[in-house]
Amino acid sequence: MNNEPSVFIVDDEEPIRSALALLMESVGLKSESFSSAQEYLDQFDATKPGCLILDVRMPGLSGLDLQGRLGAEKIHPPIIIITGHGDVPMAVRAVTAGAVDFIEKPFNNQSMLDNVHRAIEQDAKQRGESSRLQDVEQRYDDLTPREKEVLQCVIDGKRNKIIASEMNISQSTVEAHRSKVMEKMKANTLSDLMRMSLLLKLIQ
């Protein structure tokens, strides 16, 4: 998989697409251009890092429609909205729904690049967090039902003696289960285990 970020440009106006592609190229950024929201959606690949520059008003699927579709995905590129003057209220709604920012046409090149770099950094952070969560989820799935039960008791703050009593097992068995949980979860300390449990939403 190619981990180099791309700037995905979605606008029905060819001059806008060309201008943005040249701007990205001028600072060494890869770009891919699409003339419609549907064209982008048809090739959407969640594993591709980068950011999305998206026009609000287009024939067929609008920018807001595409934003809504992408919002259903587990992960997708951060969105920068570009808009004509009359579309500003719609752009504001898009930002409220999670877009990084909106930029009015004709756009300022430096402002656009600043937003693109910020969006790419945000994407990298999101992907790092997503990858870590998947790793922790896999470790948790590898626990036996009894080990998961012991883990829940540990994060609930129960001592070994109480856990042993509630589960009707010996303290030494509880300690063995705890040790196995720490090993399988790759937790060096109780704090590590608690942080992973927060990621897994085991702590409410």
mmCIF file of all heavy atoms in Angstrom, residues 128-178:
data_model
loop_
_atom_site.group_PDB
_atom_site.id
_atom_site.type_symbol
_atom_site.label_atom_id
_atom_site.label_comp_id
_atom_site.label_asym_id
_atom_site.label_seq_id
_atom_site.Cartn_x
_atom_site.Cartn_y
_atom_site.Cartn_z
ATOM 1 N N GLY A 128 -3.360 6.858 12.568
ATOM 2 C CA GLY A 128 -2.547 6.275 13.624
ATOM 3 C C GLY A 128 -3.401 5.772 14.771
ATOM 4 O O GLY A 128 -3.195 4.664 15.293
ATOM 5 N N GLU A 129 -4.400 6.567 15.159
ATOM 6 C CA GLU A 129 -5.300 6.173 16.239
ATOM 7 C C GLU A 129 -6.137 4.966 15.835
ATOM 8 O O GLU A 129 -6.384 4.058 16.632
ATOM 9 C CB GLU A 129 -6.202 7.348 16.616
ATOM 10 C CG GLU A 129 -5.456 8.479 17.312
ATOM 11 C CD GLU A 129 -6.309 9.725 17.491
ATOM 12 O OE1 GLU A 129 -7.414 9.773 16.922
ATOM 13 O OE2 GLU A 129 -5.847 10.652 18.183
ATOM 14 N N SER A 130 -6.601 4.952 14.575
ATOM 15 C CA SER A 130 -7.411 3.844 14.077
ATOM 16 C C SER A 130 -6.603 2.549 14.065
ATOM 17 O O SER A 130 -7.093 1.480 14.446
ATOM 18 C CB SER A 130 -7.923 4.152 12.665
ATOM 19 O OG SER A 130 -8.653 3.062 12.140
ATOM 20 N N SER A 131 -5.339 2.646 13.629
ATOM 21 C CA SER A 131 -4.477 1.471 13.583
ATOM 22 C C SER A 131 -4.221 0.930 14.990
ATOM 23 O O SER A 131 -4.246 -0.288 15.215
ATOM 24 C CB SER A 131 -3.152 1.839 12.913
ATOM 25 O OG SER A 131 -2.268 0.749 12.922
ATOM 26 N N ARG A 132 -3.995 1.842 15.943
ATOM 27 C CA ARG A 132 -3.760 1.409 17.325
ATOM 28 C C ARG A 132 -5.006 0.745 17.897
ATOM 29 O O ARG A 132 -4.914 -0.286 18.563
ATOM 30 C CB ARG A 132 -3.359 2.611 18.196
ATOM 31 C CG ARG A 132 -3.293 2.278 19.681
ATOM 32 C CD ARG A 132 -2.545 3.306 20.482
ATOM 33 N NE ARG A 132 -2.716 3.127 21.916
ATOM 34 C CZ ARG A 132 -2.200 2.145 22.625
ATOM 35 N NH1 ARG A 132 -1.473 1.218 22.032
ATOM 36 N NH2 ARG A 132 -2.402 2.060 23.930
ATOM 37 N N LEU A 133 -6.179 1.302 17.617
ATOM 38 C CA LEU A 133 -7.418 0.713 18.121
ATOM 39 C C LEU A 133 -7.603 -0.696 17.567
ATOM 40 O O LEU A 133 -7.966 -1.619 18.306
ATOM 41 C CB LEU A 133 -8.613 1.596 17.744
ATOM 42 C CG LEU A 133 -10.001 1.042 18.112
ATOM 43 C CD1 LEU A 133 -10.105 0.778 19.613
ATOM 44 C CD2 LEU A 133 -11.099 1.990 17.666
ATOM 45 N N GLN A 134 -7.354 -0.885 16.277
ATOM 46 C CA GLN A 134 -7.499 -2.207 15.675
ATOM 47 C C GLN A 134 -6.545 -3.202 16.327
ATOM 48 O O GLN A 134 -6.906 -4.367 16.566
ATOM 49 C CB GLN A 134 -7.231 -2.132 14.168
ATOM 50 C CG GLN A 134 -8.331 -1.423 13.387
ATOM 51 C CD GLN A 134 -7.974 -1.250 11.921
ATOM 52 O OE1 GLN A 134 -6.972 -1.790 11.451
ATOM 53 N NE2 GLN A 134 -8.772 -0.489 11.206
ATOM 54 N N ASP A 135 -5.334 -2.749 16.637
ATOM 55 C CA ASP A 135 -4.341 -3.606 17.288
ATOM 56 C C ASP A 135 -4.816 -4.023 18.674
ATOM 57 O O ASP A 135 -4.751 -5.202 19.042
ATOM 58 C CB ASP A 135 -3.009 -2.853 17.374
ATOM 59 C CG ASP A 135 -1.883 -3.734 17.876
ATOM 60 O OD1 ASP A 135 -1.898 -4.938 17.567
ATOM 61 O OD2 ASP A 135 -0.980 -3.220 18.567
ATOM 62 N N VAL A 136 -5.323 -3.047 19.441
ATOM 63 C CA VAL A 136 -5.798 -3.337 20.796
ATOM 64 C C VAL A 136 -7.035 -4.233 20.746
ATOM 65 O O VAL A 136 -7.192 -5.151 21.571
ATOM 66 C CB VAL A 136 -6.094 -2.026 21.565
ATOM 67 C CG1 VAL A 136 -6.775 -2.312 22.895
ATOM 68 C CG2 VAL A 136 -4.806 -1.247 21.801
ATOM 69 N N GLU A 137 -7.919 -3.995 19.786
ATOM 70 C CA GLU A 137 -9.113 -4.839 19.634
ATOM 71 C C GLU A 137 -8.730 -6.292 19.349
ATOM 72 O O GLU A 137 -9.348 -7.226 19.873
ATOM 73 C CB GLU A 137 -10.004 -4.306 18.512
ATOM 74 C CG GLU A 137 -10.775 -3.057 18.892
ATOM 75 C CD GLU A 137 -11.543 -2.463 17.712
ATOM 76 O OE1 GLU A 137 -11.187 -2.741 16.549
ATOM 77 O OE2 GLU A 137 -12.489 -1.709 17.959
ATOM 78 N N GLN A 138 -7.702 -6.482 18.534
ATOM 79 C CA GLN A 138 -7.248 -7.840 18.217
ATOM 80 C C GLN A 138 -6.701 -8.535 19.455
ATOM 81 O O GLN A 138 -6.970 -9.720 19.691
ATOM 82 C CB GLN A 138 -6.173 -7.797 17.124
ATOM 83 C CG GLN A 138 -5.703 -9.181 16.674
ATOM 84 C CD GLN A 138 -6.828 -10.039 16.148
ATOM 85 O OE1 GLN A 138 -7.496 -9.675 15.197
ATOM 86 N NE2 GLN A 138 -7.051 -11.194 16.766
ATOM 87 N N ARG A 139 -5.930 -7.797 20.259
ATOM 88 C CA ARG A 139 -5.394 -8.373 21.498
ATOM 89 C C ARG A 139 -6.537 -8.778 22.432
ATOM 90 O O ARG A 139 -6.507 -9.853 23.046
ATOM 91 C CB ARG A 139 -4.485 -7.365 22.204
ATOM 92 C CG ARG A 139 -3.233 -6.996 21.445
ATOM 93 C CD ARG A 139 -2.428 -5.957 22.220
ATOM 94 N NE ARG A 139 -1.562 -5.179 21.350
ATOM 95 C CZ ARG A 139 -0.873 -4.125 21.742
ATOM 96 N NH1 ARG A 139 -0.950 -3.720 22.999
ATOM 97 N NH2 ARG A 139 -0.106 -3.470 20.896
ATOM 98 N N TYR A 140 -7.542 -7.902 22.539
ATOM 99 C CA TYR A 140 -8.684 -8.189 23.419
ATOM 100 C C TYR A 140 -9.441 -9.420 22.931
ATOM 101 O O TYR A 140 -9.859 -10.263 23.734
ATOM 102 C CB TYR A 140 -9.603 -6.972 23.473
ATOM 103 C CG TYR A 140 -10.811 -7.153 24.372
ATOM 104 C CD1 TYR A 140 -10.670 -7.149 25.763
ATOM 105 C CD2 TYR A 140 -12.081 -7.331 23.840
ATOM 106 C CE1 TYR A 140 -11.768 -7.321 26.597
ATOM 107 C CE2 TYR A 140 -13.184 -7.496 24.659
ATOM 108 C CZ TYR A 140 -13.024 -7.493 26.033
ATOM 109 O OH TYR A 140 -14.122 -7.670 26.852
ATOM 110 N N ASP A 141 -9.601 -9.532 21.614
ATOM 111 C CA ASP A 141 -10.316 -10.682 21.043
ATOM 112 C C ASP A 141 -9.598 -11.990 21.332
ATOM 113 O O ASP A 141 -10.229 -13.063 21.354
ATOM 114 C CB ASP A 141 -10.484 -10.516 19.532
ATOM 115 C CG ASP A 141 -11.501 -9.442 19.170
ATOM 116 O OD1 ASP A 141 -12.315 -9.064 20.040
ATOM 117 O OD2 ASP A 141 -11.477 -8.967 18.013
ATOM 118 N N ASP A 142 -8.274 -11.924 21.539
ATOM 119 C CA ASP A 142 -7.489 -13.129 21.802
ATOM 120 C C ASP A 142 -7.617 -13.603 23.256
ATOM 121 O O ASP A 142 -7.169 -14.704 23.595
ATOM 122 C CB ASP A 142 -6.011 -12.887 21.482
ATOM 123 C CG ASP A 142 -5.750 -12.800 19.977
ATOM 124 O OD1 ASP A 142 -6.611 -13.263 19.199
ATOM 125 O OD2 ASP A 142 -4.707 -12.249 19.593
ATOM 126 N N LEU A 143 -8.215 -12.789 24.125
ATOM 127 C CA LEU A 143 -8.437 -13.204 25.510
ATOM 128 C C LEU A 143 -9.542 -14.251 25.577
ATOM 129 O O LEU A 143 -10.492 -14.222 24.782
ATOM 130 C CB LEU A 143 -8.837 -12.006 26.384
ATOM 131 C CG LEU A 143 -7.846 -10.843 26.524
ATOM 132 C CD1 LEU A 143 -8.450 -9.764 27.423
ATOM 133 C CD2 LEU A 143 -6.508 -11.312 27.070
ATOM 134 N N THR A 144 -9.422 -15.153 26.520
ATOM 135 C CA THR A 144 -10.498 -16.122 26.746
ATOM 136 C C THR A 144 -11.648 -15.416 27.474
ATOM 137 O O THR A 144 -11.453 -14.329 28.064
ATOM 138 C CB THR A 144 -10.008 -17.292 27.611
ATOM 139 O OG1 THR A 144 -9.701 -16.780 28.930
ATOM 140 C CG2 THR A 144 -8.776 -17.951 27.012
ATOM 141 N N PRO A 145 -12.855 -15.997 27.461
ATOM 142 C CA PRO A 145 -13.974 -15.385 28.197
ATOM 143 C C PRO A 145 -13.633 -15.149 29.673
ATOM 144 O O PRO A 145 -13.992 -14.108 30.236
ATOM 145 C CB PRO A 145 -15.106 -16.411 28.045
ATOM 146 C CG PRO A 145 -14.814 -17.073 26.728
ATOM 147 C CD PRO A 145 -13.310 -17.158 26.661
ATOM 148 N N ARG A 146 -12.922 -16.093 30.296
ATOM 149 C CA ARG A 146 -12.569 -15.928 31.709
ATOM 150 C C ARG A 146 -11.572 -14.792 31.889
ATOM 151 O O ARG A 146 -11.677 -14.003 32.833
ATOM 152 C CB ARG A 146 -12.001 -17.251 32.247
ATOM 153 C CG ARG A 146 -11.558 -17.220 33.736
ATOM 154 C CD ARG A 146 -12.623 -16.676 34.673
ATOM 155 N NE ARG A 146 -13.810 -17.472 34.717
ATOM 156 C CZ ARG A 146 -14.076 -18.425 35.614
ATOM 157 N NH1 ARG A 146 -13.187 -18.736 36.527
ATOM 158 N NH2 ARG A 146 -15.232 -19.055 35.590
ATOM 159 N N GLU A 147 -10.621 -14.664 30.979
ATOM 160 C CA GLU A 147 -9.642 -13.571 31.052
ATOM 161 C C GLU A 147 -10.320 -12.216 30.858
ATOM 162 O O GLU A 147 -9.975 -11.240 31.530
ATOM 163 C CB GLU A 147 -8.547 -13.779 30.000
ATOM 164 C CG GLU A 147 -7.585 -14.907 30.354
ATOM 165 C CD GLU A 147 -6.736 -15.375 29.187
ATOM 166 O OE1 GLU A 147 -6.968 -14.903 28.049
ATOM 167 O OE2 GLU A 147 -5.839 -16.216 29.407
ATOM 168 N N LYS A 148 -11.306 -12.154 29.975
ATOM 169 C CA LYS A 148 -12.065 -10.908 29.791
ATOM 170 C C LYS A 148 -12.828 -10.558 31.065
ATOM 171 O O LYS A 148 -12.931 -9.387 31.446
ATOM 172 C CB LYS A 148 -13.038 -11.045 28.616
ATOM 173 C CG LYS A 148 -12.363 -11.078 27.261
ATOM 174 C CD LYS A 148 -13.378 -11.258 26.130
ATOM 175 C CE LYS A 148 -12.685 -11.302 24.776
ATOM 176 N NZ LYS A 148 -13.631 -11.553 23.668
ATOM 177 N N GLU A 149 -13.350 -11.567 31.721
ATOM 178 C CA GLU A 149 -14.086 -11.347 32.973
ATOM 179 C C GLU A 149 -13.149 -10.799 34.050
ATOM 180 O O GLU A 149 -13.499 -9.857 34.774
ATOM 181 C CB GLU A 149 -14.707 -12.676 33.424
ATOM 182 C CG GLU A 149 -15.745 -12.536 34.526
ATOM 183 C CD GLU A 149 -16.407 -13.868 34.887
ATOM 184 O OE1 GLU A 149 -16.188 -14.855 34.157
ATOM 185 O OE2 GLU A 149 -17.126 -13.903 35.907
ATOM 186 N N VAL A 150 -11.955 -11.375 34.137
ATOM 187 C CA VAL A 150 -10.963 -10.905 35.111
ATOM 188 C C VAL A 150 -10.526 -9.479 34.769
ATOM 189 O O VAL A 150 -10.413 -8.622 35.653
ATOM 190 C CB VAL A 150 -9.746 -11.853 35.147
ATOM 191 C CG1 VAL A 150 -8.597 -11.224 35.942
ATOM 192 C CG2 VAL A 150 -10.135 -13.196 35.755
ATOM 193 N N LEU A 151 -10.317 -9.212 33.482
ATOM 194 C CA LEU A 151 -9.935 -7.864 33.061
ATOM 195 C C LEU A 151 -10.979 -6.850 33.503
ATOM 196 O O LEU A 151 -10.632 -5.777 34.033
ATOM 197 C CB LEU A 151 -9.769 -7.821 31.538
ATOM 198 C CG LEU A 151 -9.619 -6.424 30.905
ATOM 199 C CD1 LEU A 151 -8.416 -5.689 31.481
ATOM 200 C CD2 LEU A 151 -9.504 -6.531 29.392
ATOM 201 N N GLN A 152 -12.247 -7.154 33.298
ATOM 202 C CA GLN A 152 -13.307 -6.225 33.683
ATOM 203 C C GLN A 152 -13.289 -5.974 35.189
ATOM 204 O O GLN A 152 -13.473 -4.844 35.643
ATOM 205 C CB GLN A 152 -14.676 -6.762 33.250
ATOM 206 C CG GLN A 152 -15.815 -5.757 33.396
ATOM 207 C CD GLN A 152 -15.617 -4.519 32.532
ATOM 208 O OE1 GLN A 152 -15.475 -4.612 31.314
ATOM 209 N NE2 GLN A 152 -15.602 -3.345 33.161
ATOM 210 N N CYS A 153 -13.053 -7.024 35.946
ATOM 211 C CA CYS A 153 -12.971 -6.862 37.404
ATOM 212 C C CYS A 153 -11.789 -5.975 37.794
ATOM 213 O O CYS A 153 -11.898 -5.126 38.692
ATOM 214 C CB CYS A 153 -12.828 -8.231 38.082
ATOM 215 S SG CYS A 153 -14.324 -9.240 38.051
ATOM 216 N N VAL A 154 -10.663 -6.170 37.120
ATOM 217 C CA VAL A 154 -9.463 -5.375 37.418
ATOM 218 C C VAL A 154 -9.717 -3.905 37.145
ATOM 219 O O VAL A 154 -9.395 -3.038 37.968
ATOM 220 C CB VAL A 154 -8.258 -5.879 36.587
ATOM 221 C CG1 VAL A 154 -7.086 -4.904 36.702
ATOM 222 C CG2 VAL A 154 -7.833 -7.267 37.062
ATOM 223 N N ILE A 155 -10.296 -3.586 35.973
ATOM 224 C CA ILE A 155 -10.510 -2.177 35.639
ATOM 225 C C ILE A 155 -11.640 -1.571 36.468
ATOM 226 O O ILE A 155 -11.753 -0.353 36.569
ATOM 227 C CB ILE A 155 -10.771 -1.969 34.135
ATOM 228 C CG1 ILE A 155 -12.039 -2.682 33.674
ATOM 229 C CG2 ILE A 155 -9.567 -2.415 33.319
ATOM 230 C CD1 ILE A 155 -12.339 -2.498 32.196
ATOM 231 N N ASP A 156 -12.461 -2.429 37.075
ATOM 232 C CA ASP A 156 -13.492 -1.943 38.007
ATOM 233 C C ASP A 156 -12.898 -1.660 39.384
ATOM 234 O O ASP A 156 -13.600 -1.203 40.286
ATOM 235 C CB ASP A 156 -14.629 -2.964 38.141
ATOM 236 C CG ASP A 156 -15.534 -2.994 36.918
ATOM 237 O OD1 ASP A 156 -15.491 -2.037 36.120
ATOM 238 O OD2 ASP A 156 -16.278 -3.978 36.750
ATOM 239 N N GLY A 157 -11.598 -1.962 39.530
ATOM 240 C CA GLY A 157 -10.904 -1.641 40.779
ATOM 241 C C GLY A 157 -11.005 -2.703 41.862
ATOM 242 O O GLY A 157 -10.683 -2.443 43.026
ATOM 243 N N LYS A 158 -11.413 -3.904 41.494
ATOM 244 C CA LYS A 158 -11.568 -4.970 42.493
ATOM 245 C C LYS A 158 -10.234 -5.638 42.790
ATOM 246 O O LYS A 158 -9.432 -5.863 41.878
ATOM 247 C CB LYS A 158 -12.570 -6.016 41.995
ATOM 248 C CG LYS A 158 -13.985 -5.466 41.836
ATOM 249 C CD LYS A 158 -14.928 -6.495 41.252
ATOM 250 C CE LYS A 158 -16.330 -5.918 41.078
ATOM 251 N NZ LYS A 158 -17.254 -6.876 40.425
ATOM 252 N N ARG A 159 -10.019 -5.977 44.053
ATOM 253 C CA ARG A 159 -8.791 -6.650 44.456
ATOM 254 C C ARG A 159 -8.900 -8.143 44.153
ATOM 255 O O ARG A 159 -9.986 -8.689 43.999
ATOM 256 C CB ARG A 159 -8.524 -6.428 45.936
ATOM 257 C CG ARG A 159 -8.282 -4.960 46.280
ATOM 258 C CD ARG A 159 -7.917 -4.790 47.716
ATOM 259 N NE ARG A 159 -7.640 -3.397 48.055
ATOM 260 C CZ ARG A 159 -7.252 -2.992 49.248
ATOM 261 N NH1 ARG A 159 -7.094 -3.870 50.230
ATOM 262 N NH2 ARG A 159 -7.005 -1.716 49.478
ATOM 263 N N ASN A 160 -7.734 -8.796 44.124
ATOM 264 C CA ASN A 160 -7.699 -10.221 43.787
ATOM 265 C C ASN A 160 -8.589 -11.057 44.708
ATOM 266 O O ASN A 160 -9.259 -11.998 44.266
ATOM 267 C CB ASN A 160 -6.262 -10.749 43.854
ATOM 268 C CG ASN A 160 -5.416 -10.244 42.695
ATOM 269 O OD1 ASN A 160 -5.924 -9.600 41.781
ATOM 270 N ND2 ASN A 160 -4.121 -10.535 42.735
ATOM 271 N N LYS A 161 -8.584 -10.711 45.988
ATOM 272 C CA LYS A 161 -9.372 -11.477 46.960
ATOM 273 C C LYS A 161 -10.861 -11.399 46.626
ATOM 274 O O LYS A 161 -11.582 -12.402 46.685
ATOM 275 C CB LYS A 161 -9.116 -10.927 48.366
ATOM 276 C CG LYS A 161 -9.856 -11.666 49.470
ATOM 277 C CD LYS A 161 -9.489 -11.097 50.834
ATOM 278 C CE LYS A 161 -10.220 -11.845 51.948
ATOM 279 N NZ LYS A 161 -9.880 -11.313 53.286
ATOM 280 N N ILE A 162 -11.329 -10.195 46.260
ATOM 281 C CA ILE A 162 -12.739 -10.009 45.909
ATOM 282 C C ILE A 162 -13.067 -10.738 44.602
ATOM 283 O O ILE A 162 -14.105 -11.395 44.483
ATOM 284 C CB ILE A 162 -13.075 -8.507 45.768
ATOM 285 C CG1 ILE A 162 -12.797 -7.770 47.083
ATOM 286 C CG2 ILE A 162 -14.513 -8.315 45.320
ATOM 287 C CD1 ILE A 162 -13.610 -8.260 48.248
ATOM 288 N N ILE A 163 -12.167 -10.621 43.620
ATOM 289 C CA ILE A 163 -12.382 -11.294 42.329
ATOM 290 C C ILE A 163 -12.480 -12.804 42.544
ATOM 291 O O ILE A 163 -13.364 -13.477 41.991
ATOM 292 C CB ILE A 163 -11.233 -10.983 41.343
ATOM 293 C CG1 ILE A 163 -11.177 -9.476 41.048
ATOM 294 C CG2 ILE A 163 -11.418 -11.761 40.036
ATOM 295 C CD1 ILE A 163 -9.955 -9.056 40.227
ATOM 296 N N ALA A 164 -11.561 -13.338 43.378
ATOM 297 C CA ALA A 164 -11.559 -14.783 43.651
ATOM 298 C C ALA A 164 -12.877 -15.215 44.283
ATOM 299 O O ALA A 164 -13.458 -16.247 43.904
ATOM 300 C CB ALA A 164 -10.392 -15.136 44.573
ATOM 301 N N SER A 165 -13.357 -14.417 45.220
ATOM 302 C CA SER A 165 -14.616 -14.742 45.898
ATOM 303 C C SER A 165 -15.795 -14.698 44.930
ATOM 304 O O SER A 165 -16.629 -15.603 44.912
ATOM 305 C CB SER A 165 -14.836 -13.766 47.054
ATOM 306 O OG SER A 165 -16.097 -13.979 47.650
ATOM 307 N N GLU A 166 -15.862 -13.656 44.115
ATOM 308 C CA GLU A 166 -16.979 -13.493 43.185
ATOM 309 C C GLU A 166 -16.980 -14.570 42.094
ATOM 310 O O GLU A 166 -18.042 -15.010 41.640
ATOM 311 C CB GLU A 166 -16.936 -12.107 42.535
ATOM 312 C CG GLU A 166 -17.282 -10.973 43.487
ATOM 313 C CD GLU A 166 -17.308 -9.624 42.784
ATOM 314 O OE1 GLU A 166 -16.939 -9.553 41.584
ATOM 315 O OE2 GLU A 166 -17.693 -8.640 43.443
ATOM 316 N N MET A 167 -15.793 -14.994 41.675
ATOM 317 C CA MET A 167 -15.694 -15.974 40.594
ATOM 318 C C MET A 167 -15.541 -17.405 41.108
ATOM 319 O O MET A 167 -15.486 -18.354 40.317
ATOM 320 C CB MET A 167 -14.514 -15.609 39.675
ATOM 321 C CG MET A 167 -14.680 -14.261 38.984
ATOM 322 S SD MET A 167 -13.262 -13.775 37.949
ATOM 323 C CE MET A 167 -13.342 -14.994 36.651
ATOM 324 N N ASN A 168 -15.466 -17.513 42.446
ATOM 325 C CA ASN A 168 -15.359 -18.829 43.095
ATOM 326 C C ASN A 168 -14.119 -19.593 42.627
ATOM 327 O O ASN A 168 -14.180 -20.776 42.287
ATOM 328 C CB ASN A 168 -16.624 -19.666 42.846
ATOM 329 C CG ASN A 168 -16.753 -20.823 43.827
ATOM 330 O OD1 ASN A 168 -16.248 -20.765 44.949
ATOM 331 N ND2 ASN A 168 -17.422 -21.886 43.394
ATOM 332 N N ILE A 169 -13.002 -18.873 42.590
ATOM 333 C CA ILE A 169 -11.718 -19.479 42.238
ATOM 334 C C ILE A 169 -10.683 -19.002 43.257
ATOM 335 O O ILE A 169 -10.950 -18.092 44.047
ATOM 336 C CB ILE A 169 -11.266 -19.100 40.802
ATOM 337 C CG1 ILE A 169 -11.218 -17.566 40.635
ATOM 338 C CG2 ILE A 169 -12.180 -19.725 39.753
ATOM 339 C CD1 ILE A 169 -10.719 -17.114 39.271
ATOM 340 N N SER A 170 -9.490 -19.609 43.246
ATOM 341 C CA SER A 170 -8.467 -19.235 44.220
ATOM 342 C C SER A 170 -7.780 -17.933 43.807
ATOM 343 O O SER A 170 -7.805 -17.546 42.627
ATOM 344 C CB SER A 170 -7.422 -20.350 44.324
ATOM 345 O OG SER A 170 -6.678 -20.438 43.107
ATOM 346 N N GLN A 171 -7.170 -17.269 44.767
ATOM 347 C CA GLN A 171 -6.436 -16.037 44.465
ATOM 348 C C GLN A 171 -5.282 -16.303 43.511
ATOM 349 O O GLN A 171 -4.972 -15.480 42.655
ATOM 350 C CB GLN A 171 -5.915 -15.398 45.753
ATOM 351 C CG GLN A 171 -6.993 -14.706 46.577
ATOM 352 C CD GLN A 171 -6.403 -13.819 47.654
ATOM 353 O OE1 GLN A 171 -5.632 -12.902 47.367
ATOM 354 N NE2 GLN A 171 -6.759 -14.092 48.908
ATOM 355 N N SER A 172 -4.640 -17.457 43.657
ATOM 356 C CA SER A 172 -3.518 -17.782 42.771
ATOM 357 C C SER A 172 -3.996 -17.932 41.324
ATOM 358 O O SER A 172 -3.279 -17.556 40.379
ATOM 359 C CB SER A 172 -2.819 -19.062 43.235
ATOM 360 O OG SER A 172 -3.720 -20.156 43.205
ATOM 361 N N THR A 173 -5.218 -18.454 41.145
ATOM 362 C CA THR A 173 -5.784 -18.571 39.800
ATOM 363 C C THR A 173 -6.087 -17.184 39.240
ATOM 364 O O THR A 173 -5.846 -16.912 38.054
ATOM 365 C CB THR A 173 -7.068 -19.425 39.819
ATOM 366 O OG1 THR A 173 -6.756 -20.724 40.343
ATOM 367 C CG2 THR A 173 -7.646 -19.578 38.429
ATOM 368 N N VAL A 174 -6.607 -16.299 40.085
ATOM 369 C CA VAL A 174 -6.857 -14.919 39.665
ATOM 370 C C VAL A 174 -5.553 -14.268 39.220
ATOM 371 O O VAL A 174 -5.486 -13.622 38.166
ATOM 372 C CB VAL A 174 -7.498 -14.091 40.801
ATOM 373 C CG1 VAL A 174 -7.566 -12.613 40.411
ATOM 374 C CG2 VAL A 174 -8.891 -14.607 41.128
ATOM 375 N N GLU A 175 -4.499 -14.458 40.029
ATOM 376 C CA GLU A 175 -3.196 -13.868 39.693
ATOM 377 C C GLU A 175 -2.669 -14.412 38.364
ATOM 378 O O GLU A 175 -2.082 -13.665 37.559
ATOM 379 C CB GLU A 175 -2.203 -14.152 40.826
ATOM 380 C CG GLU A 175 -2.493 -13.346 42.090
ATOM 381 C CD GLU A 175 -1.758 -13.883 43.313
ATOM 382 O OE1 GLU A 175 -0.941 -14.817 43.141
ATOM 383 O OE2 GLU A 175 -2.010 -13.386 44.422
ATOM 384 N N ALA A 176 -2.908 -15.708 38.115
ATOM 385 C CA ALA A 176 -2.471 -16.324 36.859
ATOM 386 C C ALA A 176 -3.236 -15.712 35.680
ATOM 387 O O ALA A 176 -2.653 -15.413 34.628
ATOM 388 C CB ALA A 176 -2.689 -17.834 36.900
ATOM 389 N N HIS A 177 -4.543 -15.519 35.877
ATOM 390 C CA HIS A 177 -5.357 -14.897 34.825
ATOM 391 C C HIS A 177 -4.902 -13.456 34.574
ATOM 392 O O HIS A 177 -4.805 -13.024 33.417
ATOM 393 C CB HIS A 177 -6.836 -14.913 35.209
ATOM 394 C CG HIS A 177 -7.499 -16.252 35.033
ATOM 395 N ND1 HIS A 177 -7.329 -17.015 33.906
ATOM 396 C CD2 HIS A 177 -8.357 -16.933 35.838
ATOM 397 C CE1 HIS A 177 -8.047 -18.131 34.021
ATOM 398 N NE2 HIS A 177 -8.671 -18.104 35.189
ATOM 399 N N ARG A 178 -4.657 -12.714 35.641
ATOM 400 C CA ARG A 178 -4.207 -11.325 35.505
ATOM 401 C C ARG A 178 -2.893 -11.253 34.737
ATOM 402 O O ARG A 178 -2.700 -10.392 33.871
ATOM 403 C CB ARG A 178 -4.038 -10.669 36.881
ATOM 404 C CG ARG A 178 -5.332 -10.310 37.565
ATOM 405 C CD ARG A 178 -5.107 -9.498 38.827
ATOM 406 N NE ARG A 178 -4.538 -8.176 38.558
ATOM 407 C CZ ARG A 178 -4.745 -7.116 39.325
ATOM 408 N NH1 ARG A 178 -5.521 -7.221 40.401
ATOM 409 N NH2 ARG A 178 -4.202 -5.961 39.042
#
